[in-house]
């Protein structure tokens, strides 16, 4: 229980610092009579969040759906490609540079192009996919390649096929690095979705959170901008926490990484 | 301690024969130089030599994980060839899999269903004294117990030959002595022949029926010491026979070292 108390004390510290900053922010705004269209107070952001919840929540749902679809697509695509890369080295040599090019080109620069070729919704999804795909591919490929040499020898000694080695040895070995890739990819797919939404700037029924920020900016509705921003942050934290928990759930029984970091 | 009976090697029942085998690695290192060796049915053969003398290379050649550069390896017993057991210096278990699943691995590769493997796995775990630990994960076990799992995994295929690459080198003295005795028990019971790589004179004399002493790189056979049959008990470690052979082995090892350094041109 000692560890639990220490954990509690540490989170108490970070939470009180956070609350302290909010209080200072509130006081500064009130004392200096800063108008809401320049800097809204935390309490005003909170009331805006409640008042505009119907608009913001449907926008959040749009963004969240795109983020999760992109993440799932990246997981499927990244893992399949990583497996193909490790099973056929020449394919890796042929295609890995393309994956790197897609990764290093800033998504904000690709987004306008994608918007020309694709429906706005699809383009946003494609952008989110492109940014979250690479870390999952790279981490999984790294994990698949880091098998224990002796275990590999043992399996060849027993006459295991390449696919048996993949299934019995490589895939379980890759699990920790795959999950590390998913944790990074989860955050990035949200960023990709937001960036693409801002580039798309499209209104209508499919408007995501980022579009609501742009729109509120045009209308000088700064409190709503902050409210939408708060929602995005919480979404990011939520995705991170979920993926972290998932990774802990899968690994905690046998992998060292899950023992050093308490959830 | 139980006693072990030892039969003099019978030439008619040799399992595998290495003849004039040399191994040069891709980087040009000559690891083995003209090594000839025969493994007899039921014998416990130790390969004794300093680090890097190519002892492990002999095991890898026998296992078919490497090919000889020159010379031949001829198998006289194909069933022995097809069912080798291999134990590494590290337990090399799959950390995500239970003890049971780790021992199941060789059978799983052969396509045997868990239900059909059940008996063999239970026997193998019983052999190494790990019944009741089926569901434990490797990280929950001590170093000695992990090594026992590794031995069980090698024994689950009921191999005629067990290849062991310094399996107890990383263990503490007490665990090592206990595992020595348990290994002798289980190999005599199952009539498994063993090729045991070690750099410990005492361990090799205690375990073996025959010791092949090797020179430093490039590995050559320097001397063959036959240890007369005698029950391996704690008293054996104090017997003149044991001490005599320890002395002989360490002399052979010492002359191997000097020959090896003369060999460096």
């Amino acid at each position: 229980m000692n560890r639990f108390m220490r954990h509690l004390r540490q989170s108490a510290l970070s939470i009180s610092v956070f609350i302290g900053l909010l209080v200072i922010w509130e006081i500064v705004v009130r004392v200096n009579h800063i108008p809401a269209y320049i800097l809204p107070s935390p309490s005003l952001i909170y009331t805006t969040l409640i008042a505009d919840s119907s608009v913001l929540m449907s926008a959040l749902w749009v963004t969240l759906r795109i983020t999760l679809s992109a993440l799932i697509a990246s997981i499927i695509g990244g893992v399949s490609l990583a497996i193909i890369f490790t099973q056929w080295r020449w394919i890796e040599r042929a295609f890995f540079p393309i994956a790197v090019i897609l990764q290093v080109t800033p998504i904000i620069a690709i987004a306008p192009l994608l918007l020309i070729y694709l429906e706005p919704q699809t383009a946003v999804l494609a952008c989110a996919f492109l940014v979250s795909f690479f870390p999952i591919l790279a981490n999984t490929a790294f994990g698949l390649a880091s098998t224990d040499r002796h275990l590999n020898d043992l399996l060849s000694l027993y006459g295991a096929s390449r696919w048996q080695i993949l299934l019995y040895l490589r895939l379980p070995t890759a699990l920790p690095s795959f999950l590390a890739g998913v944790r990074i990819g989860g955050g990035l797919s949200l960023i990709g979705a937001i960036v693409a939404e801002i580039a798309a700037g499209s209104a209508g029924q499919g408007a995501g959170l980022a579009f609501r920020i742009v729109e509120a900016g045009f209308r000088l509705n700064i409190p709503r901008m902050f409210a939408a921003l708060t929602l995005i942050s919480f979404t990011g934290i939520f995705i991170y926490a979920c993926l972290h928990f998932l990774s802990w759930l899968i690994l905690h029984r046998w992998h060292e990484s899950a023992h050093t970091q308490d959830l | 301690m139980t006693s072990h009976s030892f039969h003099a090697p019978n030439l008619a029942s040799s399992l595998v024969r290495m003849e004039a085998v040399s191994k040069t690695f891709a980087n040009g290192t000559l690891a083995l130089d003209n090594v000839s060796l025969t493994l007899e049915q039921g014998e416990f053969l130790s390969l004794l030599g300093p680090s890097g003398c190519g002892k492990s290379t002999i095991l890898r050649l026998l296992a078919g994980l490497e090919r000889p550069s020159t010379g031949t390896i001829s198998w006289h017993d194909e069933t022995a060839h097809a069912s080798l057991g291999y134990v590494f210096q590290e337990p090399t278990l799959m950390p995500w899999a239970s003890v049971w699943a780790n021992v199941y691995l060789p059978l799983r590769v052969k396509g045997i269903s868990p239900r059909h493997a059940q008996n063999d796995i239970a026997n193998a775990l019983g052999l190494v004294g790990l019944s009741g630990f089926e569901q434990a994960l490797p990280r929950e076990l001590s170093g000695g117990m992990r090594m026992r799992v590794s031995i069980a995994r090698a024994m689950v295929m009921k191999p005629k030959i067990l290849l062991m690459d310094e399996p107890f080198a990383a263990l503490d003295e007490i665990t090592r002595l206990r595992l020595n005795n348990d290994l002798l028990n289980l190999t005599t019971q199952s009539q498994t022949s063993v090729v045991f790589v070690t750099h410990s004179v005492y361990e090799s004399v205690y375990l073996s029926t025959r010791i092949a002493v090797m020179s430093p790189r490039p590995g050559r056979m320097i001397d063959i010491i036959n240890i007369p049959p005698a029950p391996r008990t704690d008293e054996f470690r104090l017997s003149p026979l044991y001490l005599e052979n320890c002395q002989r082995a360490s002399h052979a090892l010492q002359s191997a070292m000097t020959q090896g350094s003369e060999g460096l041109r």
Side-chain angles (χ1 to χ4, degrees):
Chain A
M1 279 297 92
N2 196 9
R3 211 168 64 182
F4 178 72
M5 290 307 291
R6 198 168 59 229
H7 200 67
L8 203 69
R9 205 161 54 227
Q10 276 165 359
S11 16
L13 183 68
S14 52
I15 289 170
S16 38
V17 166
F18 184 72
I19 292 174
L21 285 174
L22 285 182
V23 168
I24 291 170
W25 179 353
E26 185 81 32
I27 291 170
V28 167
V29 170
R30 280 172 192 248
V31 166
N32 296 308
H33 301 290
I34 298 175
Y37 58 83
I38 293 186
L39 182 66
S41 65
S43 58
L44 181 59
I45 295 169
Y46 176 73
T47 44
T48 312
L49 200 57
I50 302 296
D52 294 353
S53 63
S54 66
V55 178
L56 290 177
M57 282 306 168
S58 63
L60 172 66
W61 176 236
V62 170
T63 305
L64 202 60
R65 213 172 47 204
I66 288 178
T67 304
L68 292 183
S69 322
L71 182 61
I72 290 165
S74 307
I75 290 173
I76 294 169
V79 171
S80 325
L81 204 56
I83 289 172
I84 291 169
F85 279 1
T86 42
Q87 294 298 89
W88 294 284
R89 287 284 157 182
W90 65 271
I91 297 184
E92 177 175 16
R93 276 194 295 276
F95 286 94
F96 200 73
I98 296 174
V100 174
I101 291 170
L102 283 177
Q103 164 68 13
V104 296
T105 312
I107 198 65
I108 189 83
I110 308 177
L113 262 182
L114 287 174
L115 282 160
I116 294 173
Y117 300 133
L118 302 169
E119 293 275 301
Q121 288 278 339
T122 325
V124 172
L125 183 66
C127 287
F129 168 78
L130 280 177
V131 285
S132 60
F133 166 74
F134 189 78
I136 295 174
L137 166 67
N139 276 282
T140 310
F142 170 78
L144 287 171
S146 346
T147 47
D148 184 300
R149 194 166 48 88
H150 287 322
L151 274 174
N152 216 357
D153 281 348
L154 200 71
L155 280 169
S156 350
L157 176 71
Y158 290 127
S161 69
R162 247 162 24 125
W163 292 100
Q164 281 182 315
I165 293 180
L166 176 74
L167 193 62
Y168 301 161
L169 184 57
R170 287 190 190 278
L171 285 177
T173 305
L175 202 54
S177 13
F178 160 71
L179 287 167
V182 170
R183 288 209 300 268
I184 301 168
L188 284 180
S189 68
L190 178 65
I191 293 173
I194 297 287
V195 166
E197 275 178 9
I198 288 179
S202 68
Q205 80 281 31
L209 264 184
F211 174 73
R212 292 296 168 206
I213 290 181
V214 176
E215 183 194 50
F218 289 149
R219 295 179 186 172
L220 275 185
N221 190 347
I222 311 301
R224 188 189 274 189
M225 280 180 91
F226 271 94
L229 202 56
T230 311
L231 270 185
I232 291 176
S233 296
F234 278 117
T235 309
I237 294 167
F238 175 72
I239 291 173
Y240 179 82
C242 283
L243 293 177
H244 209 85
F245 179 67
L246 179 76
S247 157
W248 177 85
L249 208 63
I250 296 173
L251 297 180
H252 74 108
R253 281 201 68 204
W254 62 274
H255 199 255
E256 289 306 323
S257 71
H259 294 277
T260 44
Q261 44 191 240
D262 291 343
L263 199 79
Chain B
M1 266 323 301
T2 48
S3 63
H4 310 277
S5 57
F6 288 90
H7 306 287
N10 173 5
L11 284 171
S13 61
S14 67
L15 295 169
V16 57
R17 185 176 178 78
M18 293 176 83
E19 211 145 2
V21 167
S22 298
K23 176 68 186 174
T24 313
F25 285 114
N27 62 10
T29 315
L30 180 62
L32 283 181
D33 188 14
N34 196 21
V35 170
S36 294
L37 193 67
T38 307
L39 183 69
E40 311 293 343
Q41 168 68 47
E43 80 171 328
F44 198 118
L45 172 69
S46 282
L47 303 174
L48 176 67
S51 308
C53 74
K55 298 170 300 215
S56 308
T57 308
I58 291 183
L59 290 194
R60 293 180 63 81
L61 285 166
L62 286 174
L65 296 169
E66 307 273 357
R67 293 185 183 290
S69 307
T70 60
T72 54
I73 298 174
S74 38
W75 287 87
H76 301 164
D77 186 330
E78 271 309 313
T79 55
H81 190 192
S83 68
L84 290 167
Y86 205 122
V87 178
F88 300 94
Q89 181 173 350
E90 302 295 323
T92 42
L93 304 175
M94 303 179 290
W96 58 84
S98 67
V99 166
W100 193 93
N102 267 291
V103 177
Y104 175 44
L105 182 70
L107 299 168
R108 192 181 181 196
V109 170
K110 300 284 183 207
I112 295 164
S113 74
R115 204 161 49 83
H116 285 101
Q118 199 73 49
N119 264 336
D120 286 343
I121 295 171
N123 286 342
L125 284 175
L127 217 53
V128 297
L130 277 183
S131 302
F133 287 92
E134 286 82 0
Q135 294 317 312
L137 286 172
R139 60 177 292 272
E140 299 161 348
L141 303 176
S142 68
M145 286 163 90
R146 279 180 219 172
M147 193 40 85
R148 284 171 190 275
V149 178
S150 190
I151 294 171
R153 181 179 60 192
M155 294 302 291
V156 78
M157 298 289 284
K158 303 195 184 79
K160 280 196 166 178
I161 302 178
L162 189 55
L163 306 172
M164 304 186 90
D165 192 354
E166 301 192 33
F168 308 140
L171 299 177
D172 63 272
E173 192 65 18
I174 295 166
T175 313
R176 177 197 266 242
L177 293 182
R178 279 189 50 190
L179 276 169
N180 279 347
N181 286 331
D182 292 352
L183 176 65
L184 277 181
N185 274 331
L186 79 89
T187 50
T188 35
Q189 259 173 45
S190 56
Q191 295 185 301
T192 313
S193 309
V194 185
V195 184
F196 189 92
V197 164
T198 181
H199 53 234
S200 159
V201 167
Y202 305 106
E203 195 173 52
S204 66
V205 173
Y206 186 74
L207 292 173
S208 313
T209 53
R210 199 153 63 105
I211 303 173
V213 183
M214 294 179 65
S215 71
R217 188 179 296 146
R220 294 193 190 97
M221 286 296 164
I222 293 297
D223 198 6
I224 300 277
I225 301 171
N226 286 301
I227 313 282
R232 294 333 198 224
T233 59
D234 286 342
E235 288 81 58
F236 178 71
R237 286 186 200 278
L238 303 168
S239 71
L241 181 68
Y242 174 72
L243 299 172
E244 218 170 77
N245 279 296
C246 284
Q247 216 163 36
R248 208 180 136 195
S250 67
H251 276 312
L253 198 57
Q254 248 162 26
S255 71
M257 297 299 280
T258 51
Q259 278 190 35
S261 55
E262 278 163 12
L264 295 175
R265 274 158 294 199

